[in-house]
Structure formats: C-alpha cells, structure tokens
Amino acid sequence: MLQKCSEPKLQGNNMILQTGVKYFHSNRHCINNGSMEKDHLPHFITSNLEHDAVKLVLEHFAEEGIASVTFVPASSKTGHVMVDDVIAAIRPSTCMISLMLANNETGIIQPVKEIFERVKQINTSRKSVPKILLHTDAAQAIGKIPVNVQDLGADYLTVVGHKFYGPRIGAIYVKDLGSGKEVPLYPMFYGGGQERNYRPGTENTAMIAGLGQASKLVTENIDKYNKHMQKIRDYLEERLKGEFGDGVCFNGRIGTSCRIPNTCNVSFLSVDCTGSEVLSNCKLVQASIGAACHSQNRPSPILLALDIEETVARRAIRLSVGRETTQEDIDKAVNDLKQAVKKIQNRNGGLSPQFVEY
C-alpha cells in the first residue's frame, strides 16, 4: 500500500489507527459474554515517546471520545518502554498496540519484537474478544538497522522513503492484505478505485519506482550502511567528548540500550543557551533540536519524558550521520560547533552558571 502524499508517515499512520477503531466496532457483535460492556470505546496502547504522527492522532481520539488511550511511560533507566508495562496496560477492549521501532530523537530501539511476541501469546487466549492488532512505525529504523516484518511479528508497519535516501513517498505493510484473514485495513479516503479501493488517487509511478530502488539498495547493503554509520557516529561522539569533556551530555546513551547507528543527541552544558542558539551560530552544521515537526523553541518532549533535566533538554541538538559522511566531515562539524560555543561563551562572559550542576 503506497501513500501518494507529501506526508506519507502522517497519512499511513492515520490509516492504520483509524482501521483500529473500525475493527473494534465491526467486532462488537462477536462478544457474547459482556466482558466489554463497560468498555464501550476501543482502547489503544502506545508509548510517551511516539512521533506526532501517532501521538497527536491518538490524543485526538481520546479528546473526541473516539477511543481511550494508554500512553505507557518509558523507563528513564533504559530510554524505552518496558515489556511488562505494556502488557499490564492491556484490557478486554484493547484493539491495537502502536509502538515506534526506533526513536527519532534519541535513536534508542524499542523492544517491539519482545512485546509483540508476548501479545501474540495473549491473543491465543482472547476467545471472546477480538485479537489485539500490532503496529510499528519503522520510519526511523529502515536503512539503519535490519528490519524484517515477519521477525518483528507486526500486523502493520509504516515505511517512509526519504528516511533512507528514497523519494518523499511512503508505504504501509499489512499482513496478508486481501487474503480474508484476520488483519483488516479500512480506507480513509474515497473517490477512486486505485490500490484495490484502499487508497484513491492516481499513482505517482516515478516516486513508487524510486521507493522500490531505495528499498532494494537497503536490502542489499544494510550491513555496510550500518557499520559505516556506527563507526562515524562513534567518531563524532569521541571528538565531541575530546573537545568539550564534561561540557557535553549524550542523551541517547542510556543504560545498555541499543541505538540506531546514525543518531547522536547531545547537549552542550558549558554554554547558557538553547540548542537552537548554538546551531544559529554554526557556519556549516545543519541540524535540529528534535523532530522536524516540533517547535524549535522549547525543550524536546521526548527528552523530558525520559526524566532528562529541562536545563539539559533545552541545550540538546540532534546530529545525524549518513552513508557518505566521512571523518573529515566530522572534524569540520566539531570545529564548527566549537567555534559556535566559544562565540556564545565570549558573548555571555564565560561558562554557563548552571554548568557546575552536572
């Protein structure tokens, strides 16, 4: 299923989440023991680390009385949700669990496979209520780590092309779509018969071909891409630590949790300003302080959700490396960040007054 729009993640995730609501109501007639009598709304489980393409949709469902939602808090000790916390949130009315595969700001990989394995065991015993559908937004992970939807055990998976050097188009995987099995998909738009009536609108053939080619390159070269990006990202963090010492904090290094290999979320503690102010004084580095869709003038909600101090979160910058980034590029970037921090320190008259706290 291809999403022919400028915001493929947004539309793909909306379609899947809306399907969860319709799936719940279409199965209410199957319930004969009254176990959902008091739970008249569909129930979704997600985390408090999700991208707005999931978070805001589910918040809207809750505000409008369309569904009830549990936002499972991530552990500050791991940077991800805990399997047992997700399982504990399940109710008879739970219709879908939606969890990102890797966080787009910290890069921390969520235990999606382990959670989905546990839920599948639970589904086998849900005789009088519908099975729980399983969705993962894999946009940030594809192209950086191996992603196998069968291995994950997902019913739905979101793909976004521009995250792995493809065109700005997306796709959603739906398990056994059209086979008459238990994983449904309901259209969100109407007005055309394209894509088996699931998604109307003339297909963008060129972008579809581009997505296919980008996917092929990832499939053939993922080990090479992964090793290169990890080597360069680690070099970046080594250089930053070497230049700034205790004046930097790496917000994605939490416990023993694994990260995707391209992401470095770092706070500059030795300067009393926001991450966006550091970037505005850079001559070469182009980065963000969080998700591109978030305001650049407030601390990242993701970092705050992980109990990272607000004074640290407001200083954060998200740096990403790519397939062709070199150590020479990193050297230039670190020197650029160094001169930006120095410029702000000179303007402010020295170190941040909060620096001694960390």
Side-chain angles (χ1 to χ4, degrees), residues 1 16 88-89 110-111 115 122 141 146 149 158 189 193 267 323 328 333:
M1 179 65 59
I16 293 167
Q110 305 295 306
I115 291 169
I122 292 170
V149 69
T158 306
F189 300 109
S267 293
R323 298 174 189 172
E328 291 75 17

mmCIF file of all heavy atoms in Angstrom, residues 1 16 88-89 110-111 115 122 141 146 149 158 189 193 267 323 328 333:
data_model
loop_
_atom_site.group_PDB
_atom_site.id
_atom_site.type_symbol
_atom_site.label_atom_id
_atom_site.label_comp_id
_atom_site.label_asym_id
_atom_site.label_seq_id
_atom_site.Cartn_x
_atom_site.Cartn_y
_atom_site.Cartn_z
ATOM 1 N N MET A 1 0.854 -1.184 0.000
ATOM 2 C CA MET A 1 0.000 0.000 0.000
ATOM 3 C C MET A 1 0.890 1.233 0.000
ATOM 4 O O MET A 1 1.671 1.449 0.924
ATOM 5 C CB MET A 1 -0.878 0.000 1.257
ATOM 6 C CG MET A 1 -1.785 1.206 1.379
ATOM 7 S SD MET A 1 -3.014 1.271 0.086
ATOM 8 C CE MET A 1 -3.840 -0.276 0.351
ATOM 9 N N ILE A 16 -3.840 3.385 9.518
ATOM 10 C CA ILE A 16 -3.744 2.209 10.379
ATOM 11 C C ILE A 16 -4.504 2.427 11.686
ATOM 12 O O ILE A 16 -5.253 1.541 12.141
ATOM 13 C CB ILE A 16 -2.269 1.876 10.644
ATOM 14 C CG1 ILE A 16 -1.600 1.406 9.344
ATOM 15 C CG2 ILE A 16 -2.127 0.817 11.733
ATOM 16 C CD1 ILE A 16 -0.090 1.352 9.418
ATOM 17 N N ALA A 88 0.877 -4.990 30.955
ATOM 18 C CA ALA A 88 -0.008 -4.662 32.077
ATOM 19 C C ALA A 88 -1.115 -3.695 31.683
ATOM 20 O O ALA A 88 -2.147 -3.615 32.361
ATOM 21 C CB ALA A 88 0.811 -4.083 33.229
ATOM 22 N N ALA A 89 -0.919 -2.963 30.605
ATOM 23 C CA ALA A 89 -1.913 -1.970 30.173
ATOM 24 C C ALA A 89 -3.047 -2.580 29.348
ATOM 25 O O ALA A 89 -4.031 -1.898 29.053
ATOM 26 C CB ALA A 89 -1.229 -0.869 29.372
ATOM 27 N N GLN A 110 13.260 0.356 20.455
ATOM 28 C CA GLN A 110 12.241 -0.131 21.382
ATOM 29 C C GLN A 110 12.124 -1.659 21.303
ATOM 30 O O GLN A 110 12.367 -2.247 20.243
ATOM 31 C CB GLN A 110 10.888 0.509 21.052
ATOM 32 C CG GLN A 110 10.903 2.025 21.024
ATOM 33 C CD GLN A 110 11.189 2.626 22.397
ATOM 34 O OE1 GLN A 110 10.525 2.332 23.375
ATOM 35 N NE2 GLN A 110 12.211 3.477 22.456
ATOM 36 N N PRO A 111 11.723 -2.321 22.386
ATOM 37 C CA PRO A 111 11.621 -3.790 22.392
ATOM 38 C C PRO A 111 10.342 -4.279 21.705
ATOM 39 O O PRO A 111 9.536 -5.012 22.294
ATOM 40 C CB PRO A 111 11.639 -4.121 23.883
ATOM 41 C CG PRO A 111 10.998 -2.948 24.537
ATOM 42 C CD PRO A 111 11.449 -1.744 23.727
ATOM 43 N N ILE A 115 7.675 -7.390 22.801
ATOM 44 C CA ILE A 115 6.297 -7.034 23.164
ATOM 45 C C ILE A 115 5.306 -7.755 22.265
ATOM 46 O O ILE A 115 4.316 -8.341 22.739
ATOM 47 C CB ILE A 115 6.104 -5.504 23.079
ATOM 48 C CG1 ILE A 115 6.909 -4.811 24.188
ATOM 49 C CG2 ILE A 115 4.621 -5.138 23.184
ATOM 50 C CD1 ILE A 115 7.014 -3.310 24.035
ATOM 51 N N ILE A 122 -0.968 -13.779 24.243
ATOM 52 C CA ILE A 122 -2.219 -13.344 24.870
ATOM 53 C C ILE A 122 -3.378 -13.484 23.888
ATOM 54 O O ILE A 122 -4.493 -13.889 24.262
ATOM 55 C CB ILE A 122 -2.080 -11.896 25.374
ATOM 56 C CG1 ILE A 122 -1.096 -11.848 26.546
ATOM 57 C CG2 ILE A 122 -3.431 -11.312 25.779
ATOM 58 C CD1 ILE A 122 -0.687 -10.460 26.966
ATOM 59 N N ALA A 141 13.941 3.516 11.550
ATOM 60 C CA ALA A 141 14.856 2.378 11.639
ATOM 61 C C ALA A 141 15.292 1.850 10.281
ATOM 62 O O ALA A 141 16.436 1.414 10.108
ATOM 63 C CB ALA A 141 14.195 1.250 12.435
ATOM 64 N N PRO A 146 18.787 -3.738 10.226
ATOM 65 C CA PRO A 146 17.933 -4.692 9.522
ATOM 66 C C PRO A 146 16.518 -4.669 10.096
ATOM 67 O O PRO A 146 16.332 -4.679 11.311
ATOM 68 C CB PRO A 146 18.612 -6.037 9.787
ATOM 69 C CG PRO A 146 20.031 -5.693 10.132
ATOM 70 C CD PRO A 146 19.969 -4.382 10.842
ATOM 71 N N VAL A 149 9.781 -7.623 8.875
ATOM 72 C CA VAL A 149 8.449 -7.522 9.462
ATOM 73 C C VAL A 149 7.971 -8.864 10.008
ATOM 74 O O VAL A 149 7.263 -8.919 11.014
ATOM 75 C CB VAL A 149 7.461 -6.928 8.430
ATOM 76 C CG1 VAL A 149 7.191 -7.898 7.293
ATOM 77 C CG2 VAL A 149 6.163 -6.495 9.100
ATOM 78 N N THR A 158 4.937 0.862 9.138
ATOM 79 C CA THR A 158 4.995 2.105 8.361
ATOM 80 C C THR A 158 6.394 2.320 7.802
ATOM 81 O O THR A 158 7.385 2.210 8.525
ATOM 82 C CB THR A 158 4.606 3.305 9.239
ATOM 83 O OG1 THR A 158 3.329 3.051 9.847
ATOM 84 C CG2 THR A 158 4.518 4.580 8.409
ATOM 85 N N PHE A 189 -9.924 7.397 2.703
ATOM 86 C CA PHE A 189 -10.443 8.292 1.675
ATOM 87 C C PHE A 189 -11.238 7.483 0.657
ATOM 88 O O PHE A 189 -11.021 6.279 0.490
ATOM 89 C CB PHE A 189 -9.296 9.018 0.957
ATOM 90 C CG PHE A 189 -8.448 9.852 1.866
ATOM 91 C CD1 PHE A 189 -7.146 9.461 2.177
ATOM 92 C CD2 PHE A 189 -8.928 11.022 2.421
ATOM 93 C CE1 PHE A 189 -6.356 10.218 3.011
ATOM 94 C CE2 PHE A 189 -8.140 11.787 3.265
ATOM 95 C CZ PHE A 189 -6.851 11.385 3.564
ATOM 96 N N GLY A 193 -10.761 3.999 -7.442
ATOM 97 C CA GLY A 193 -10.583 2.571 -7.248
ATOM 98 C C GLY A 193 -9.150 2.122 -7.204
ATOM 99 O O GLY A 193 -8.886 0.911 -7.236
ATOM 100 N N SER A 267 23.807 17.427 24.349
ATOM 101 C CA SER A 267 23.571 18.732 24.967
ATOM 102 C C SER A 267 24.905 19.379 25.321
ATOM 103 O O SER A 267 25.807 18.714 25.840
ATOM 104 C CB SER A 267 22.729 18.586 26.239
ATOM 105 O OG SER A 267 21.422 18.149 25.940
ATOM 106 N N ARG A 323 25.321 7.743 5.021
ATOM 107 C CA ARG A 323 26.093 6.701 4.349
ATOM 108 C C ARG A 323 27.427 7.218 3.815
ATOM 109 O O ARG A 323 28.389 6.460 3.708
ATOM 110 C CB ARG A 323 25.293 6.128 3.178
ATOM 111 C CG ARG A 323 24.000 5.474 3.565
ATOM 112 C CD ARG A 323 23.232 5.067 2.311
ATOM 113 N NE ARG A 323 21.880 4.634 2.643
ATOM 114 C CZ ARG A 323 20.953 4.367 1.733
ATOM 115 N NH1 ARG A 323 21.238 4.496 0.440
ATOM 116 N NH2 ARG A 323 19.750 3.967 2.106
ATOM 117 N N GLU A 328 36.517 13.294 7.966
ATOM 118 C CA GLU A 328 36.854 14.687 7.668
ATOM 119 C C GLU A 328 35.629 15.587 7.837
ATOM 120 O O GLU A 328 35.741 16.718 8.344
ATOM 121 C CB GLU A 328 37.396 14.808 6.242
ATOM 122 C CG GLU A 328 38.764 14.180 6.031
ATOM 123 C CD GLU A 328 38.737 12.652 5.974
ATOM 124 O OE1 GLU A 328 37.634 12.084 5.767
ATOM 125 O OE2 GLU A 328 39.805 12.034 6.138
ATOM 126 N N ALA A 333 32.640 19.519 11.305
ATOM 127 C CA ALA A 333 31.434 19.784 12.085
ATOM 128 C C ALA A 333 31.767 20.093 13.540
ATOM 129 O O ALA A 333 31.224 21.037 14.138
ATOM 130 C CB ALA A 333 30.486 18.584 11.997
#
